[in-house]
Amino acid sequence: MDILTLLLQGGVDGLTEYLSAHVLTCLVPAFFIAGAIPIFLSQNAVLRYFGPQAPKVLSYGVASISGTILAVCSCTVLPLFGGIYKRGAGLGPAVAFLYSGPAINVLAIVYSARLLGYDLGVARAVGAVIFSVVIGVIMAALYGRQDMQRDSHAFDMLQSDPDEKSPRAKLLFFGLLVGILVFAASGQWLVTALLFVGLGLLLWRRYSRDEILAWMRVTWHFVKLITPWLLGGVFVAGVLTVAIPESLVAGVVGGNSLLSSFVASFVGSLMYFATLTEVPIVKAFLDLGMGRGPALALLLAGPALSLPNMLVIRSIMGTKRTLTYVALVVVMATFTGYLFGLIVA
């Protein structure tokens, strides 16, 4: 009974920490951005960069570096991924964005280099960019044909979907929303308040009441779709952190073997890491004897995946694609960590 109580308490603690630390500053702004994409961003804009006939270098290039401006975690990126995918983005670029959003975080890369060493910081940055492109290309090769009819139809309708708002107004609108997300997540409340004022003025001058109400309806749709799976997954992830002691994990992932890299990648894929929190956790594991190869594997798989993240992705693109995506991340992180361990050893 004591063990069950301890496990339940771990789940409650994980849920409480997430609700208190991340919902208001990270997830809520992300929901509003996701809701704004189908309403205020024309299909032209999405398909121009991520559509089936967009230049591959452009679409994957933009998707692979998108995380540099979004300091988001594996759960906060989900509404954004759902928004661009439902709007008609190709599967490959959308998946590249899904991985890169939380993985290629400039703050996390710099923090990793300073706290864990420049070798891990550089390897994480390079590996994350390559991962996003390779995983997106493989997912498109395996499942892209199933989306081709939907995407091609949307692309053919570009000329009949006129862009009413000027590109400058849209750029300003989404820039303000992203700024609110970034500065709220970093606790810069004065800047966040100023951005809110700017957003309110822009909405008052350039957008109608019907457009704003439509934005709220789509945002609420994403909240209902994602929140139950997300909170349930966070609870289970909290239970796992209690059930699996850090000392046990550190003992298993000591050294730089292929098995230790796989264990680090697999365990990291199940755990939830808020933005930047993976760095001190990996530092603690390194101090306990974790190899640098498994550390890189954890850094490449952990921030991009989590149990809550997997459950929500399944609700967006189905079980088969989700399992393939998770397997690609874990396997690639495993072999990358193993090779990195051999090099630095």
Side-chain angles (χ1 to χ4, degrees):
M1 187 63 181
D2 290 339
I3 295 178
L4 179 60
T5 302
L6 193 62
L7 293 176
L8 292 175
Q9 186 61 48
V12 172
D13 290 344
L15 193 58
T16 302
E17 179 185 358
Y18 181 81
L19 290 174
S20 61
H22 308 294
V23 169
L24 182 61
T25 59
C26 295
L27 197 60
V28 170
F31 275 129
F32 280 104
I33 295 174
I37 289 173
I39 302 300
F40 299 132
L41 189 62
S42 69
Q43 210 165 31
N44 304 39
V46 175
L47 293 176
R48 187 176 297 121
Y49 295 104
F50 295 138
Q53 298 186 32
K56 300 304 179 186
V57 174
L58 175 65
S59 58
Y60 284 102
V62 171
S64 67
I65 62 172
S66 58
T68 58
I69 62 170
L70 297 174
V72 297
C73 64
S74 61
C75 293
T76 306
V77 76
L78 295 173
L80 309 180
F81 164 70
I84 65 170
Y85 183 64
K86 297 296 184 182
R87 192 55 172 158
L91 179 64
V95 168
F97 172 82
L98 173 64
Y99 179 85
S100 70
I104 311 173
N105 181 341
V106 172
L107 294 176
I109 297 297
V110 173
Y111 192 24
S112 297
R114 293 182 62 87
L115 193 64
L116 307 177
Y118 288 101
D119 57 342
L120 275 173
V122 172
R124 180 182 183 183
V126 175
V129 173
I130 295 174
F131 271 37
S132 63
V133 175
V134 172
I135 291 172
V137 169
I138 293 175
M139 289 289 291
L142 292 176
Y143 305 109
R145 290 184 179 273
Q146 300 174 17
D147 284 345
M148 190 61 67
Q149 183 176 1
R150 180 204 67 167
D151 294 342
S152 297
H153 175 71
F155 198 89
D156 292 338
M157 296 295 290
L158 283 179
Q159 298 303 322
S160 61
D161 181 24
D163 188 2
E164 297 180 356
K165 296 291 185 301
S166 68
R168 184 175 299 178
K170 290 187 176 183
L171 181 62
L172 178 59
F173 175 76
F174 282 98
L176 288 169
L177 287 177
V178 172
I180 289 170
L181 170 63
V182 172
F183 286 104
S186 60
Q188 303 292 325
W189 301 117
L190 178 59
V191 179
T192 303
L194 293 175
L195 291 174
F196 264 115
V197 172
L199 179 63
L201 291 174
L202 181 64
L203 290 173
W204 176 59
R205 291 179 61 87
R206 300 301 299 268
Y207 293 92
S208 68
R209 181 175 180 272
D210 289 340
E211 287 176 319
I212 296 174
L213 290 176
W215 175 26
M216 296 300 104
R217 284 194 294 268
V218 175
T219 300
W220 179 240
H221 168 74
F222 279 112
V223 171
K224 292 187 295 182
L225 174 68
I226 291 174
T227 302
W229 291 101
L230 178 60
L231 297 183
V234 170
F235 179 84
V236 174
V239 172
L240 291 177
T241 58
V242 174
I244 306 175
E246 291 184 7
S247 58
L248 175 62
V249 176
V252 173
V253 296
N256 289 299
S257 68
L258 187 62
L259 177 61
S260 61
S261 292
F262 171 74
V263 171
S265 176
F266 181 75
V267 172
S269 70
L270 296 177
M271 297 176 63
Y272 169 74
F273 295 100
T275 305
L276 300 180
T277 58
E278 74 278 1
V279 180
I281 291 176
V282 170
K283 173 63 174 175
F285 284 159
L286 286 171
D287 292 340
L288 290 170
M290 186 182 204
R292 297 188 75 76
L296 178 62
L298 181 58
L299 288 171
L300 290 173
L305 289 175
S306 66
L307 187 58
N309 165 281
M310 297 177 199
L311 294 174
V312 176
I313 293 174
R314 176 185 172 275
S315 71
I316 295 174
M317 63 179 187
T319 302
K320 188 175 181 180
R321 298 181 187 192
T322 300
L323 290 176
T324 304
Y325 171 68
V326 172
L328 286 171
V329 173
V330 171
V331 170
M332 290 183 63
T334 297
F335 282 99
T336 303
Y338 175 64
L339 293 175
F340 177 76
L342 294 178
I343 293 172
V344 299

